[in-house]
Amino acid sequence: MIFNNIEKLPQEKLQKMQLDRLNTQLNTVYNNCPLYKKRFDQNNVDPNITKIEDLAKFPILTDEIIIENTVKNKDVFGGRQNIIEDAIWKLFSNDKFPYVEGSPFFYGYSQNDFKSEIDILKRMLFGTGIRQGDFVHAIILGMDPITYSVYQAALKLGCRFLGGLAVEIDIPRIVDSMRLKPNCLITPFAMLMAASKHAKKAGFDESTHFLNYQKVLVHDIIWETRRAEKLQRKGWKNAEFFNLRKINIPGFYACECEKHDGLHYPQDSFIAEIVDPENPKELVAEGERGQLLVTNITREASPCIRYTPPRPLFASKHLEICDCGRTIARLKFLK
């Protein structure tokens, strides 16, 4: 089943939607964000483009560039504030950024940004088979925006929800709360291993303690089938594992569906370019390995244009219709 009709639009319509939204976003950030105006002018690029491939002419955004603008200009958004401050509904700090006293870094959300992210996660949870009446257990970082968004997404699907913090001190409570028998789990891989280790130490029977979990979404940068096999040997025998990937700064998510043939991402909200790592202005062919660059085309508060995380992600992009019936593109992450 498909939750949203956008997920089954023909690629031609999806790409037309992307181009229209990209043009709007490029012009908006050029007029509103000092960082983008400066970098677009330096690279002699016009925010009015005629095809999506023209995005490859624009400069890449890195954490180093954001940090430099944050420190140099005492700008908590690193030059990416796209809407007036009163319209920014919530701010999140990034603990992966080195803190410079007097120059904290934040990325902001408008109310529409949160609504969009909740809708994206709702579609992804549905794509894994999570339905009304399921009991979702989410072990996530307290200040991570996914904490709020996944909670709202689960509730809007009609699920019950149980939260937990992905910190070592909370592991005993997390393991003990599994007695409530949630049947779906969203967690980093490290917490799965820590939970298994603590269960054994606390005297729980590993072979039965985790049996109630049927859907396990692992939000991790590195995920391989052998990890699922290792967990299944540790007692997660009834679990079907799904890879959920996120990149916090642009608010990007991608997730496997029940066919497990790549991770679907929301083409209506993001453009995912796969480029030659040696020449980021050169797109690789569909299905070929390259470096992932992300542009959010609907984000209001602090958009990212051609963002790459500090640890580059490598993937291939696939546009053919998935066996699940979804037409939206898939990413297959590679080493």
Side-chain angles (χ1 to χ4, degrees):
M1 293 177 64
I2 295 175
F3 186 80
N4 190 306
N5 286 334
I6 286 176
E7 297 178 298
K8 58 182 182 181
L9 284 177
Q11 271 297 321
E12 301 77 35
K13 289 188 176 181
L14 280 168
Q15 291 179 27
K16 173 65 166 58
M17 180 190 296
Q18 284 184 313
L19 179 60
D20 291 344
R21 292 180 175 182
L22 176 60
N23 258 310
T24 299
Q25 187 75 295
L26 290 175
N27 277 277
T28 301
V29 300
Y30 182 77
N31 292 322
N32 294 344
C33 304
L35 172 64
Y36 290 122
K37 177 172 175 52
K38 178 182 177 181
R39 288 177 58 75
F40 289 5
D41 288 345
Q42 285 176 340
N43 287 269
N44 196 29
V45 288
D46 187 337
N48 297 291
I49 61 176
T50 58
K51 56 184 185 294
I52 292 175
E53 291 76 13
D54 288 342
L55 182 59
K57 300 173 184 177
F58 287 72
I60 287 178
L61 179 67
T62 65
D63 285 1
E64 289 75 16
I65 292 167
I66 299 173
I67 292 168
E68 180 184 344
N69 275 270
T70 299
V71 174
K72 183 178 179 181
N73 301 316
K74 303 292 183 183
D75 181 349
V76 297
F77 295 102
R80 297 179 305 119
Q81 182 177 337
N82 191 42
I83 55 178
I84 61 171
E85 198 163 318
D86 287 350
I88 296 175
W89 192 51
K90 197 151 188 170
L91 297 172
F92 289 92
S93 61
N94 190 331
D95 58 6
K96 294 181 175 61
F97 272 53
Y99 175 67
V100 178
E101 188 172 353
S103 301
F105 168 77
F106 293 92
Y107 49 106
Y109 277 74
S110 69
Q111 290 205 40
N112 285 334
D113 291 337
F114 260 124
K115 287 177 183 176
S116 175
E117 186 165 295
I118 291 164
D119 178 67
I120 288 167
L121 281 166
K122 189 166 55 174
R123 284 153 53 177
M124 290 182 175
L125 296 184
F126 192 87
T128 66
I130 294 175
R131 297 290 186 270
Q132 181 177 352
D134 282 329
F135 190 178
V136 176
H137 186 188
I139 305 171
I140 40 194
L141 297 173
M143 289 304 295
D144 193 317
I146 193 177
T147 306
Y148 175 85
S149 300
V150 78
Y151 166 67
Q152 291 292 333
L155 291 185
K156 287 180 182 295
L157 280 178
C159 301
R160 298 165 65 202
F161 186 86
L162 171 66
L165 291 177
V167 291
E168 187 174 352
I169 196 172
D170 209 37
I171 291 172
R173 186 175 70 85
I174 288 169
V175 173
D176 202 38
S177 65
M178 291 175 181
R179 293 175 175 179
L180 297 173
K181 296 187 176 180
N183 64 326
C184 305
L185 179 64
I186 303 171
T187 179
F189 175 74
M191 294 303 292
L192 285 175
M193 299 305 294
S196 291
K197 184 178 179 180
H198 177 80
K200 185 176 182 180
K201 183 179 178 181
F204 293 110
D205 184 352
E206 275 191 286
S207 66
T208 59
H209 195 66
F210 306 117
L211 288 182
N212 207 61
Y213 288 115
Q214 297 168 14
K215 307 284 184 182
V216 178
L217 280 64
V218 184
H219 56 90
D220 212 314
I221 293 297
I222 300 172
W223 178 251
E224 298 169 343
T225 304
R226 62 181 178 84
R227 288 188 161 190
E229 293 168 351
K230 183 177 182 179
L231 286 163
Q232 285 165 341
R233 290 195 298 271
K234 285 182 170 290
W236 304 77
K237 295 181 178 64
N238 293 338
E240 181 181 6
F241 289 89
F242 298 83
N243 189 197
L244 169 67
R245 300 214 180 189
K246 64 187 180 74
I247 308 173
N248 267 354
I249 301 303
F252 177 80
Y253 293 89
C255 189
E256 287 182 294
C257 66
E258 292 178 289
K259 298 301 179 181
H260 299 280
D261 189 24
L263 283 68
H264 292 283
Y265 69 92
Q267 275 184 277
D268 51 310
S269 295
F270 292 92
I271 291 175
E273 297 174 276
I274 307 297
V275 302
D276 181 343
E278 303 300 322
N279 180 11
K281 292 186 177 181
E282 189 71 35
L283 297 170
V284 303
E286 181 185 345
E288 289 188 6
R289 178 186 186 275
Q291 183 177 346
L292 173 65
L293 303 179
V294 173
T295 296
N296 37 26
I297 53 178
T298 57
R299 186 69 169 265
E300 291 181 344
S302 47
C304 287
I305 308 297
R306 305 198 82 208
Y307 175 82
T308 181
R311 179 182 178 181
L313 296 175
F314 296 94
S316 58
K317 184 160 68 173
H318 303 264
L319 300 177
E320 71 273 14
I321 298 175
C322 180
D323 287 344
C324 72
R326 289 172 177 81
T327 58
I328 56 173
R330 287 164 291 138
L331 296 172
K332 295 184 179 180
F333 286 88
L334 310 162
K335 289 185 178 180

